[in-house]
Amino acid sequence: GARITDVWLEDEFGRRLVAIRGGERVRLCIRGHAEQAIPRPIFGFVIKDRLGQSLFGENTNSWFGDEPRPLAPGQDATAHFEFEMPLLPSGHYAVTVAIAEGSQADHVQHHWLHEALVFESHYPNGLATGLIGLPMYSVGIEPFASEGAAP
């Protein structure tokens, strides 16, 4: 019913990316072509690590489920997801993408593409723990006087 024709990751200026550092604002774009009428299209993605573990993802149904964006036969469309890239340990990551039709609970997959895009993370200091890290906007230590402490 539909097919994915292009997938890319771009920076905030629209330049295509093959590598990230983490913490930057990015946009993941999925272009598709409707072979038939698709009254309730769902575009979605999952980012996976080198072991195939799903790290995070999203789909358009989460945003437009109550107000679908129908596609006519032969129509092309691009879905985009803009987000702040988490801090990922250095290495390669794959993006799996799909176009479906219906709702979150009841849908038909039209095209599912594993490893539609591979990008590299160049996080300079690595991560102490976890699969992903979150950019911190502020971290601090505020000293205060405690009872019995010398001035």
Side-chain angles (χ1 to χ4, degrees):
R3 62 187 157 83
I4 297 161
T5 58
D6 198 6
V7 180
W8 69 95
L9 190 63
E10 63 186 30
D11 67 13
E12 60 187 319
F13 305 106
R15 296 178 297 217
R16 290 194 182 207
L17 299 170
V18 294
I20 55 102
R21 285 182 52 97
E24 68 267 49
R25 183 175 221 128
V26 297
R27 178 184 276 210
L28 178 67
C29 301
I30 304 168
R31 181 165 296 147
H33 178 79
E35 301 288 345
Q36 64 186 40
I38 302 178
R40 299 180 64 86
I42 303 171
F43 289 74
F45 76 94
V46 174
I47 294 184
K48 297 182 177 188
D49 68 8
R50 65 181 179 79
L51 300 175
Q53 298 176 101
S54 296
L55 300 179
F56 64 95
E58 184 60 276
N59 68 62
T60 55
N61 189 72
S62 302
W63 294 80
F64 303 113
D66 295 334
E67 297 176 21
R69 309 292 200 259
L71 298 175
Q75 187 174 11
D76 293 315
T78 301
H80 68 270
F81 303 87
E82 192 169 326
F83 55 95
E84 190 168 285
M85 183 63 77
L87 305 176
L88 302 172
S90 294
H92 289 89
Y93 294 83
V95 184
T96 294
V97 297
I99 300 176
E101 177 183 1
S103 68
Q104 192 72 23
D106 184 22
H107 57 270
V108 173
Q109 291 290 345
H110 288 294
H111 194 186
W112 182 284
L113 196 54
H114 292 282
E115 298 180 1
L117 175 69
V118 175
F119 66 90
E120 192 169 0
S121 173
H122 295 288
Y123 187 63
N125 298 325
L127 293 172
T129 59
L131 297 175
I132 64 172
L134 300 176
M136 297 292 122
Y137 292 110
S138 176
V139 175
I141 298 175
E142 306 296 328
F144 61 94
S146 59
E147 288 184 39

